[in-house]
Amino acid sequence: MSFSTLEESVASHGTPGTKYFAPFVITSELEAEADVRISHYPAGRRSATLPLLHIVQQKFGYISAEAINWVARKLELETVKVLEVVTFYPGFRQSAPGKYHIRVCRTLSCAMGGSHELMDRLCELTGIDRSQCDPHHHPIAVSPCGNYSVEFAECLASCGTAPVCMVNDDFHEGITVDKAESLLASYKA
């Protein structure tokens, strides 16, 4: 798969959140960290795909077409093999989230507790339009200012305190619609 075909198929579309993340650049630090991860999988380099993608997303906020190509070259794989992993796992972002990325649980307990209404309220408060979201390839919607982004998440493992959400890596329980404004206030941009 050529780079242009990859870009046409799943290229990261620009979002206002891009300003908070450095562009993908191959550094000596990145190469060294990747080499260490790959060394843990001597029997099959392909097994290092997930760890390398996690490194990229942690450092750059999302996984761009350039990053997919780099991981494929690094692991001596066809680009499509890395692309399959990126597009299969919903935890991998293909476009830049906002500075504060909010994942709202949508599974049964949270849905019954009002997670869909919570999502609507968060979007209302941040000016986010989710109408163009593609739940498979681009599930993230970003506020016009780039400070906030939202997406639905599968079970966040706290059914008894529904609805729950995560803001970046911070876990929040019992976030009802009436608590949405105070949640956002605690993450001022």
Side-chain angles (χ1 to χ4, degrees), residues 82-188:
V82 177
L83 178 60
E84 288 171 345
V85 175
V86 172
T87 57
F88 179 79
Y89 289 104
F92 289 127
R93 298 185 288 261
Q94 296 176 55
S95 57
K99 180 178 182 180
Y100 301 109
H101 183 57
I102 306 164
R103 291 174 284 175
V104 177
C105 181
R106 69 172 170 199
T107 49
L108 185 59
S109 294
C110 286
M112 291 176 65
S115 64
H116 290 272
E117 293 82 1
L118 172 61
M119 176 64 84
D120 291 343
R121 181 68 175 141
L122 291 168
C123 290
E124 177 186 328
L125 291 168
T126 58
I128 293 174
D129 176 10
R130 292 190 68 249
S131 65
Q132 300 302 312
C133 284
D134 172 351
H136 298 291
H137 295 292
H138 298 288
I140 297 170
V142 183
S143 65
C145 63
N147 292 330
Y148 301 99
S149 59
V150 295
E151 76 174 306
F152 275 118
E154 293 308 319
C155 188
L156 293 177
S158 189
C159 298
T161 60
V164 298
C165 66
M166 292 185 74
V167 180
N168 295 342
D169 291 327
D170 301 333
F171 190 74
H172 298 276
E173 300 172 302
I175 304 297
T176 56
V177 171
D178 58 323
K179 295 179 182 177
E181 196 165 352
S182 62
L183 174 70
L184 290 175
S186 66
Y187 292 95
K188 287 279 185 200

